[in-house]
Amino acid sequence: MQRDFPESDWKILSRLKPLALDRLCERIVLESEDIIVRTKEGGYHSAYLELVKHIQTQDKTVGKCFDDWRRSQAFFILANWRREKLITDEEFASFSAETRIVAGQL
């Protein structure tokens, strides 16, 4: 049985969305910079190919964390954010106990 995501938790999730998205994008950019520095010694084409592969992989992560922004998907979104370490323990603790339990089981 699908549980309803509480309105108060939806407001918290919505407030955290820009912060979580920025954290993910920062990580992707920093990893991309590392790929460029690490692989350009093997040639720029090699660096380009590695970077494209990285961006394609990370685009899937962005999608699963942010693309299906609906309240019916909120438990999954929160679970993905936790898996990807996009919110802190303190931020996670601001959700209701039931929401934390359900998200932790996904």
Side-chain angles (χ1 to χ4, degrees), residues 39-48:
T39 60
K40 72 178 180 184
E41 294 156 0
Y44 285 103
H45 184 244
S46 173
Y48 167 78

Side-chain angles (χ1 to χ4, degrees), residues 5-15 69-71 74:
F5 198 82
E7 177 68 23
S8 59
D9 288 336
W10 178 248
K11 288 179 181 179
I12 295 168
L13 193 75
S14 296
R15 181 178 47 81
W69 192 258
R70 294 179 293 151
R71 196 162 156 185

Side-chain angles (χ1 to χ4, degrees), residues 12-41:
I12 295 168
L13 193 75
S14 296
R15 181 178 47 81
L16 289 172
K17 181 182 180 185
L19 185 59
L21 179 58
D22 198 55
R23 287 174 179 160
L24 179 55
C25 291
E26 177 185 20
R27 185 176 76 202
I28 293 168
V29 167
L30 292 174
E31 290 169 348
S32 298
E33 289 173 348
D34 184 56
I35 289 169
I36 292 168
V37 168
R38 196 170 21 102
T39 60
K40 72 178 180 184
E41 294 156 0

Side-chain angles (χ1 to χ4, degrees), residues 40-103:
K40 72 178 180 184
E41 294 156 0
Y44 285 103
H45 184 244
S46 173
Y48 167 78
L49 293 175
E50 183 74 20
L51 187 58
V52 167
K53 181 179 174 184
H54 176 68
I55 294 297
Q56 288 173 338
T57 300
Q58 293 307 310
D59 192 49
K60 292 176 186 172
T61 301
V62 172
K64 76 178 178 181
C65 289
F66 297 99
D67 282 357
D68 198 11
W69 192 258
R70 294 179 293 151
R71 196 162 156 185
S72 63
Q73 296 299 308
F75 286 116
F76 298 106
I77 292 168
L78 184 57
N80 285 329
W81 287 7
R82 288 289 287 171
R83 250 187 305 283
E84 295 296 329
K85 299 177 178 22
L86 301 181
I87 58 174
T88 65
D89 290 339
E90 294 79 23
E91 290 164 342
F92 186 66
S94 66
F95 291 93
S96 67
E98 181 181 0
T99 293
R100 292 191 315 267
I101 290 168
V102 173

